[in-house]
Short mmCIF file of all heavy atoms in Angstrom, two decimals:
data_model
loop_
_atom_site.label_atom_id
_atom_site.label_comp_id
_atom_site.label_asym_id
_atom_site.label_seq_id
_atom_site.Cartn_x
_atom_site.Cartn_y
_atom_site.Cartn_z
N LEU A 53 -11.75 130.07 -142.26
CA LEU A 53 -13.04 130.46 -141.70
C LEU A 53 -12.88 131.51 -140.61
O LEU A 53 -13.71 132.41 -140.48
CB LEU A 53 -13.77 129.24 -141.18
CG LEU A 53 -15.22 129.43 -140.80
CD1 LEU A 53 -16.02 129.93 -141.99
CD2 LEU A 53 -15.80 128.13 -140.30
N LYS A 54 -11.81 131.42 -139.83
CA LYS A 54 -11.55 132.43 -138.80
C LYS A 54 -11.34 133.80 -139.44
O LYS A 54 -11.85 134.81 -138.96
CB LYS A 54 -10.33 132.05 -137.97
CG LYS A 54 -10.57 130.91 -137.03
CD LYS A 54 -9.29 130.56 -136.29
CE LYS A 54 -9.45 129.27 -135.53
NZ LYS A 54 -8.21 128.85 -134.88
N GLY A 55 -10.57 133.84 -140.53
CA GLY A 55 -10.34 135.10 -141.22
C GLY A 55 -11.62 135.66 -141.81
O GLY A 55 -11.87 136.87 -141.77
N LEU A 56 -12.45 134.78 -142.35
CA LEU A 56 -13.72 135.21 -142.91
C LEU A 56 -14.64 135.74 -141.82
O LEU A 56 -15.30 136.77 -141.99
CB LEU A 56 -14.38 134.06 -143.66
CG LEU A 56 -15.67 134.39 -144.41
CD1 LEU A 56 -15.39 135.40 -145.50
CD2 LEU A 56 -16.28 133.14 -144.99
N ALA A 57 -14.67 135.06 -140.69
CA ALA A 57 -15.51 135.53 -139.57
C ALA A 57 -15.02 136.88 -139.06
O ALA A 57 -15.84 137.75 -138.71
CB ALA A 57 -15.49 134.49 -138.45
N MET A 58 -13.71 137.07 -139.03
CA MET A 58 -13.18 138.36 -138.60
C MET A 58 -13.59 139.46 -139.57
O MET A 58 -13.99 140.56 -139.16
CB MET A 58 -11.66 138.29 -138.49
CG MET A 58 -11.04 139.58 -137.99
SD MET A 58 -9.26 139.55 -137.98
CE MET A 58 -8.91 139.47 -139.73
N GLY A 59 -13.52 139.17 -140.86
CA GLY A 59 -13.92 140.16 -141.85
C GLY A 59 -15.39 140.49 -141.77
O GLY A 59 -15.78 141.66 -141.89
N VAL A 60 -16.22 139.48 -141.55
CA VAL A 60 -17.66 139.72 -141.41
C VAL A 60 -17.94 140.57 -140.18
O VAL A 60 -18.78 141.49 -140.22
CB VAL A 60 -18.43 138.38 -141.35
CG1 VAL A 60 -19.87 138.58 -140.92
CG2 VAL A 60 -18.38 137.69 -142.70
N SER A 61 -17.23 140.32 -139.09
CA SER A 61 -17.45 141.12 -137.89
C SER A 61 -17.06 142.57 -138.11
O SER A 61 -17.72 143.49 -137.60
CB SER A 61 -16.69 140.53 -136.70
OG SER A 61 -15.30 140.70 -136.86
N VAL A 62 -16.00 142.81 -138.88
CA VAL A 62 -15.59 144.19 -139.18
C VAL A 62 -16.64 144.88 -140.03
O VAL A 62 -17.00 146.04 -139.79
CB VAL A 62 -14.21 144.20 -139.87
CG1 VAL A 62 -13.90 145.56 -140.46
CG2 VAL A 62 -13.13 143.78 -138.90
N VAL A 63 -17.18 144.17 -141.02
CA VAL A 63 -18.20 144.77 -141.88
C VAL A 63 -19.48 145.06 -141.10
O VAL A 63 -20.10 146.12 -141.25
CB VAL A 63 -18.48 143.86 -143.10
CG1 VAL A 63 -19.71 144.30 -143.85
CG2 VAL A 63 -17.27 143.84 -144.02
N VAL A 64 -19.89 144.14 -140.23
CA VAL A 64 -21.09 144.36 -139.42
C VAL A 64 -20.88 145.53 -138.46
O VAL A 64 -21.76 146.39 -138.31
CB VAL A 64 -21.47 143.08 -138.64
CG1 VAL A 64 -22.52 143.35 -137.59
CG2 VAL A 64 -21.95 142.02 -139.61
N ALA A 65 -19.71 145.60 -137.83
CA ALA A 65 -19.43 146.71 -136.93
C ALA A 65 -19.40 148.03 -137.70
O ALA A 65 -19.88 149.06 -137.19
CB ALA A 65 -18.10 146.49 -136.22
N THR A 66 -18.88 148.02 -138.92
CA THR A 66 -18.87 149.23 -139.73
C THR A 66 -20.28 149.65 -140.12
O THR A 66 -20.63 150.83 -140.06
CB THR A 66 -18.02 149.02 -141.00
OG1 THR A 66 -16.70 148.65 -140.61
CG2 THR A 66 -17.97 150.26 -141.84
N GLY A 67 -21.11 148.68 -140.50
CA GLY A 67 -22.49 148.99 -140.83
C GLY A 67 -23.24 149.58 -139.65
O GLY A 67 -24.01 150.54 -139.79
N CYS A 68 -23.04 149.00 -138.47
CA CYS A 68 -23.68 149.54 -137.26
C CYS A 68 -23.18 150.95 -136.96
O CYS A 68 -23.95 151.82 -136.57
CB CYS A 68 -23.43 148.62 -136.07
SG CYS A 68 -24.29 147.06 -136.16
N SER A 69 -21.88 151.17 -137.14
CA SER A 69 -21.32 152.50 -136.90
C SER A 69 -21.88 153.52 -137.87
O SER A 69 -22.16 154.67 -137.49
CB SER A 69 -19.80 152.43 -137.01
OG SER A 69 -19.23 153.70 -136.86
N MET A 70 -22.06 153.10 -139.12
CA MET A 70 -22.63 154.01 -140.12
C MET A 70 -24.09 154.33 -139.79
O MET A 70 -24.51 155.48 -139.89
CB MET A 70 -22.53 153.40 -141.51
CG MET A 70 -21.12 153.35 -142.06
SD MET A 70 -20.98 152.41 -143.58
CE MET A 70 -22.16 153.23 -144.62
N ALA A 71 -24.84 153.31 -139.38
CA ALA A 71 -26.26 153.52 -139.11
C ALA A 71 -26.50 154.29 -137.81
O ALA A 71 -27.35 155.17 -137.76
CB ALA A 71 -26.97 152.17 -139.04
N LEU A 72 -25.73 153.98 -136.77
CA LEU A 72 -25.98 154.59 -135.47
C LEU A 72 -25.31 155.94 -135.29
O LEU A 72 -25.87 156.84 -134.66
CB LEU A 72 -25.52 153.64 -134.36
CG LEU A 72 -26.27 152.32 -134.26
CD1 LEU A 72 -25.62 151.43 -133.22
CD2 LEU A 72 -27.73 152.56 -133.93
N PHE A 73 -24.09 156.09 -135.83
CA PHE A 73 -23.32 157.29 -135.55
C PHE A 73 -23.07 158.17 -136.78
O PHE A 73 -22.45 159.21 -136.67
CB PHE A 73 -21.97 156.92 -134.93
CG PHE A 73 -22.10 156.05 -133.72
CD1 PHE A 73 -21.52 154.80 -133.70
CD2 PHE A 73 -22.80 156.47 -132.61
CE1 PHE A 73 -21.64 153.98 -132.59
CE2 PHE A 73 -22.93 155.66 -131.50
CZ PHE A 73 -22.35 154.43 -131.49
N GLY A 74 -23.52 157.72 -137.95
CA GLY A 74 -23.34 158.51 -139.16
C GLY A 74 -21.91 158.55 -139.66
O GLY A 74 -21.50 159.52 -140.30
N THR A 75 -21.12 157.52 -139.39
CA THR A 75 -19.74 157.47 -139.84
C THR A 75 -19.72 157.29 -141.35
O THR A 75 -20.35 156.37 -141.87
CB THR A 75 -19.00 156.30 -139.17
OG1 THR A 75 -19.16 156.42 -137.76
CG2 THR A 75 -17.53 156.30 -139.53
N PRO A 76 -18.97 158.14 -142.08
CA PRO A 76 -18.93 157.99 -143.54
C PRO A 76 -18.07 156.79 -143.95
O PRO A 76 -17.10 156.44 -143.27
CB PRO A 76 -18.31 159.30 -144.02
CG PRO A 76 -17.49 159.78 -142.87
CD PRO A 76 -18.21 159.30 -141.62
N LEU A 77 -18.42 156.17 -145.05
CA LEU A 77 -17.66 155.04 -145.59
C LEU A 77 -16.58 155.60 -146.50
O LEU A 77 -16.88 156.21 -147.53
CB LEU A 77 -18.58 154.09 -146.35
CG LEU A 77 -17.96 152.81 -146.88
CD1 LEU A 77 -17.44 151.97 -145.72
CD2 LEU A 77 -18.96 152.02 -147.68
N MET A 78 -15.33 155.41 -146.13
CA MET A 78 -14.20 155.97 -146.89
C MET A 78 -13.74 155.00 -147.97
O MET A 78 -13.97 153.79 -147.89
CB MET A 78 -13.04 156.28 -145.94
CG MET A 78 -13.43 157.20 -144.81
SD MET A 78 -14.01 158.76 -145.41
CE MET A 78 -12.78 159.82 -144.76
N THR A 79 -13.08 155.53 -148.96
CA THR A 79 -12.57 154.73 -150.08
C THR A 79 -11.53 153.73 -149.61
O THR A 79 -11.50 152.59 -150.08
CB THR A 79 -11.97 155.65 -151.16
OG1 THR A 79 -12.94 156.64 -151.51
CG2 THR A 79 -11.56 154.88 -152.38
N GLN A 80 -10.65 154.14 -148.69
CA GLN A 80 -9.60 153.25 -148.20
C GLN A 80 -10.20 152.01 -147.52
O GLN A 80 -9.72 150.89 -147.71
CB GLN A 80 -8.69 153.97 -147.21
CG GLN A 80 -7.81 155.01 -147.85
CD GLN A 80 -6.98 155.75 -146.82
OE1 GLN A 80 -7.38 155.88 -145.66
NE2 GLN A 80 -5.83 156.23 -147.25
N PHE A 81 -11.24 152.21 -146.74
CA PHE A 81 -11.88 151.08 -146.08
C PHE A 81 -12.52 150.15 -147.09
O PHE A 81 -12.45 148.93 -146.97
CB PHE A 81 -12.93 151.56 -145.07
CG PHE A 81 -13.59 150.44 -144.33
CD1 PHE A 81 -12.98 149.87 -143.24
CD2 PHE A 81 -14.81 149.94 -144.76
CE1 PHE A 81 -13.58 148.82 -142.56
CE2 PHE A 81 -15.42 148.89 -144.09
CZ PHE A 81 -14.80 148.34 -142.99
N THR A 82 -13.16 150.71 -148.10
CA THR A 82 -13.80 149.90 -149.14
C THR A 82 -12.76 149.07 -149.89
O THR A 82 -12.96 147.88 -150.14
CB THR A 82 -14.57 150.80 -150.12
OG1 THR A 82 -15.48 151.60 -149.36
CG2 THR A 82 -15.33 149.99 -151.13
N LEU A 83 -11.63 149.69 -150.25
CA LEU A 83 -10.57 148.96 -150.95
C LEU A 83 -9.96 147.87 -150.06
O LEU A 83 -9.73 146.75 -150.52
CB LEU A 83 -9.49 149.93 -151.42
CG LEU A 83 -9.88 150.88 -152.54
CD1 LEU A 83 -8.76 151.88 -152.81
CD2 LEU A 83 -10.23 150.11 -153.79
#
Side-chain angles (χ1 to χ4, degrees):
L53 191 58
K54 288 177 190 176
L56 185 63
M58 183 184 66
V60 168
S61 70
V62 168
V63 168
V64 168
T66 302
C68 290
S69 177
M70 288 171 56
L72 296 174
F73 307 120
T75 307
L77 184 62
M78 305 299 244
T79 307
Q80 290 177 332
F81 181 82
T82 306
L83 291 174

